[in-house]
Amino acid sequence: RKYGQYEWVRITMENFRRNKGYSNGEIYWMWNDCWPSAMGWTFVDYYCQPKASYYSFKRATAPILLSMTKKGENYDLYVISDEKCGVSGELALYAFGKSGMREISKDIISGEGEFIVAELKSEGKNYRTFYREGKLPIVPTTGAKITEQTENSITVTADSYIHAVEFEGEYIFEDNYFSMLPGESRKITFKKVLLTVIVSLLIVLFFTTLYIY
């Protein structure tokens, strides 16, 4: 349910930004929960902790955004920028299916049941998006592990493609619900939620990946 909220914000905001000029935005209702709620429409819960939608909105409204759609048999990849200068970098395309991951070129059509991941590396930052036709079923996976942990950071390494890494705990994380490619490592910093007494550090990670069929 939480990731469903993430996807709702991602899809709507990417659509607005792809059509900038025709539609310039949306008013989201609302910022925070006024009572405890499992999901709802808000970005921050009743206890002042960011929800999945918070991280989705943060990523989708960054100055540079990668977005992908499909029209007929063609995939359309958008590099959206609110910067005053152009965007340059290295683009990679991957297809994931029953046989695992394979890198593809712009001229190769994806196979049945595969989904496409695009990654742009520019100015020391990575921007990533994906396209999956039809439903997006996800299941727990053990394809990632914690390789380092400090008082204010945690490093995660993926052994296989991870569609969404979720951190839980009484902390505000630098990033959350992000994807990881095989062999990739991410160091995420975090800070304690204000007005919360924390006895010990307890972070629960839920790794989810797409179920390929």
Side-chain angles (χ1 to χ4, degrees):
R1 295 180 64 183
K2 289 184 288 185
Y3 187 74
Q5 187 190 45
Y6 179 99
E7 279 294 283
W8 164 68
V9 172
R10 180 190 71 83
I11 291 171
T12 55
M13 184 52 66
E14 285 188 10
N15 182 56
F16 283 124
R17 295 195 66 184
R18 288 196 305 266
N19 294 282
K20 185 176 180 179
Y22 177 78
S23 178
N24 289 322
E26 177 182 17
I27 297 176
Y28 285 96
W29 180 267
M30 54 190 176
W31 171 250
N32 64 305
D33 285 329
C34 52
W35 55 73
S37 173
M39 186 175 173
W41 301 92
T42 60
F43 290 170
V44 177
D45 71 14
Y46 180 76
Y47 304 100
C48 300
Q49 289 186 270
K51 291 184 174 183
S53 55
Y54 172 91
Y55 295 100
S56 181
F57 184 80
K58 178 182 177 182
R59 188 170 296 120
T61 56
I64 298 176
L65 173 68
L66 210 60
S67 180
M68 190 187 308
T69 62
K70 188 178 182 181
K71 296 179 181 179
E73 296 298 323
N74 297 319
Y75 292 92
D76 293 337
L77 181 63
Y78 296 78
V79 180
I80 304 163
S81 175
D82 288 337
E83 302 284 5
K84 294 181 179 180
C85 56
V87 179
S88 61
E90 180 181 347
L91 178 67
L93 296 171
Y94 305 94
F96 292 87
K98 293 180 179 179
S99 58
M101 181 189 80
R102 62 187 179 93
E103 190 167 358
I104 60 176
S105 73
K106 64 182 180 63
D107 299 319
I108 297 179
I109 300 175
S110 63
E112 184 179 356
E114 289 185 323
F115 67 99
I116 307 300
V117 173
E119 181 178 56
L120 174 67
K121 296 182 179 180
S122 177
E123 302 292 333
K125 295 182 179 181
N126 291 7
Y127 305 93
R128 190 174 297 159
T129 189
F130 76 97
Y131 182 85
R132 163 83 181 199
E133 195 162 5
K135 294 182 179 180
L136 184 66
I138 55 176
V139 294
T141 181
T142 57
K145 59 185 177 181
I146 298 174
T147 53
E148 184 180 358
Q149 185 172 322
T150 68
E151 292 183 355
N152 58 6
S153 71
I154 186 168
T155 301
V156 181
T157 301
D159 297 326
S160 59
Y161 176 74
I162 308 297
H163 188 67
V165 177
E166 178 190 358
F167 295 101
E168 277 196 355
E170 295 176 322
Y171 298 87
I172 298 177
F173 297 94
E174 172 192 8
D175 199 5
N176 212 343
Y177 300 93
F178 53 85
S179 64
M180 297 185 73
L181 296 176
E184 182 180 3
S185 292
R186 286 284 308 271
K187 181 179 181 180
I188 304 298
T189 59
F190 54 83
K191 59 183 179 180
K192 296 179 180 179
V193 178
L194 296 178
L195 304 179
T196 302
V197 178
I198 301 174
V199 178
S200 61
L201 176 63
L202 176 61
I203 300 179
V204 180
L205 285 81
F206 293 91
F207 300 104
T208 57
T209 187
L210 287 177
Y211 175 71
I212 307 300
Y213 56 89

